[in-house]
Amino acid sequence: MAGDIRTGGARKPVLLTVDDEPDVLRAVRRDLVRHFAQDYRVLAASSGEEALDALRELRDRGDRVALLLVDQRMPGLSGVELLEKAMVLHPDAKRVLLTAYADTEAAIAAINRVRLDYYILKPWHPPEERLYPVLDDLLDEWRGRFPAFEGPTIVGMRWSAASHAIRDFLARNQHPYRWLDVETNEEARALAAQSPDARLPLVLLPGGERLESPSNVELARKLEILKPVDTPYFDLVIVGAGPGGLAAAVYGASEGLSTALVEREAPGGQAGQSNLIENYLGFPSGLSGADLSRRAVMQARRFDVRMVSPAEATHVEVADGYRIVRLGDGTELSCRVLIIATGVSYRRLQAPGAPEFEGVGLFYGGTTVEARSCIGQDVHIVGAANSAGQAAVYFSQHARRVHLLCRADSLEASMSRYLVTQIEGTPNIDVHVNTEIGELHGDHHLEKLTLVDNRSGATRDVATGGVFVFIGADPHTKWLEGVVARDERGFIPTGTDMLRTTNGWPLEREPFLLETSVPGVFAVGDVRANAIRRVASAVGEGSIAVQLIHRYLATT
């Protein structure tokens, strides 16, 4: 094998390339070394069997494999067969197939079979155009999931809602942290003993400061995730950093509007919690909501968007031609134009015991924080739309068995066909139609569910390692009460829909397509009445809104 995996000392992550043709193997290894050797160890193997031996040794030594670049046509193990076995050894490694044009159908099939991230056609020259950009992008995403640790240490208990909230907040903001459970870790107990009267979770900052059960805002300020707003005046303020808000921020700032983006939790919104979005144009292997958010935030910052997060908008008013957004800490942001992109939240489970177990076995959304804690357990996913299906597929990679609870007769009415097919082909996912949760049980954390057949009324009790809820959608619009018109469910009508449902449009011109009942205030994404609830639709509305804003500004 080319490249020594037995070198001592701190080891860089590994890029492994595999090809049975010696000249090709030398060429691809040469190109990888030339571009990546500063940050990665580049190893090469001349067969699938040799590569598997190396991957086992790397796993046993605790080395991280960042990327596999594998030829498809090899004697013995084909490239796809090798990647299938490699998934078990290094499930987080990026998987790329090197293939001839004649094998592109096999490569496309491998997207589903081995969660292929990309395929590259031979020849890959010049590598500056056909190899490096692809691998750079994949490795950027991989590093985003496994950053060098420079963050806080959290000392707490797994079955603690406060501990979960902090871990989930940092994970969604893609901020590295170290987690120590006092129930299973000696170091955690020793650290907690140094402050015996402190309230858990403890957060130990890199500089030595200790925080007792801090709020998200307090922690964000200490870690400089949330920075003071340096100016209160902007051309454009966007409230909500889901796909629609992020798209509006990127397009607005890139076209010269001074832009602030306010987000109450973490960039990405509900879509940011999706473990794999497979039907987003231009990403044939899919991408995670977290990765989409990361890319969009990087773009927004590149164009000098002022990120204000976590911060909650609590009120809006219109005065002297400006729209004024008041935040929870009393800060006021004035702007010429406002975009509302606050999205929706999953509805709370209406079953006895639900409030008691929130954060200690019952979770809203597909939290990656809890996924690895479910190894060897049965988990239950509640819902029948795409978000529930994506979560079921994701948790099937960690849990012993995933139970998808659907109160309707089937999934087809509310879930995309590609997800239904994927669920049907995943052996450890069971779909339970006409099934709802009747009650939740447990001592200090959720342990058991009573399931109800909504046709017969029959009940049964089952053990659970966690429940993840993806039902319904409630908009974040209470802060607009008395200012911006909403429908009976709280969604915001726009354009001519608004004229049909509300009274009092103050101007002679008709409202623009995404304009609300207040001129100069626009709404995009899921918060808008009659919106198409797809990531691509929200992104499209965010970009369209900026064009409408320019038309609005030209008339004022």
Side-chain angles (χ1 to χ4, degrees), residues 172 240-243 246 263 265-274 289 293 341-344 346:
R172 291 186 62 194
L246 285 165
E263 167 55 45
E265 293 177 351
Q270 197 177 88
Q273 300 181 61
S274 295
S293 304
T342 45
V344 297
Y346 296 114

Side-chain angles (χ1 to χ4, degrees), residues 194-252:
Q194 293 175 15
S195 305
D197 297 325
R199 291 177 292 115
L200 295 180
L202 277 177
V203 179
L204 312 179
L205 301 180
E209 186 177 358
R210 289 179 170 229
L211 306 178
E212 295 182 24
S213 193
S215 68
N216 287 349
V217 171
E218 180 186 1
L219 186 58
R221 285 181 176 144
K222 291 289 185 180
L223 297 175
E224 296 188 346
I225 297 172
L226 175 61
K227 298 179 180 179
V229 179
D230 48 11
T231 175
Y233 300 103
F234 296 90
D235 294 325
L236 171 63
V237 168
I238 303 159
V239 180
L246 285 165
V250 168
Y251 283 99

Side-chain angles (χ1 to χ4, degrees), residues 183-201:
E183 295 180 329
T184 60
N185 186 280
E186 283 293 337
E187 183 184 356
R189 286 191 282 268
L191 288 169
Q194 293 175 15
S195 305
D197 297 325
R199 291 177 292 115
L200 295 180

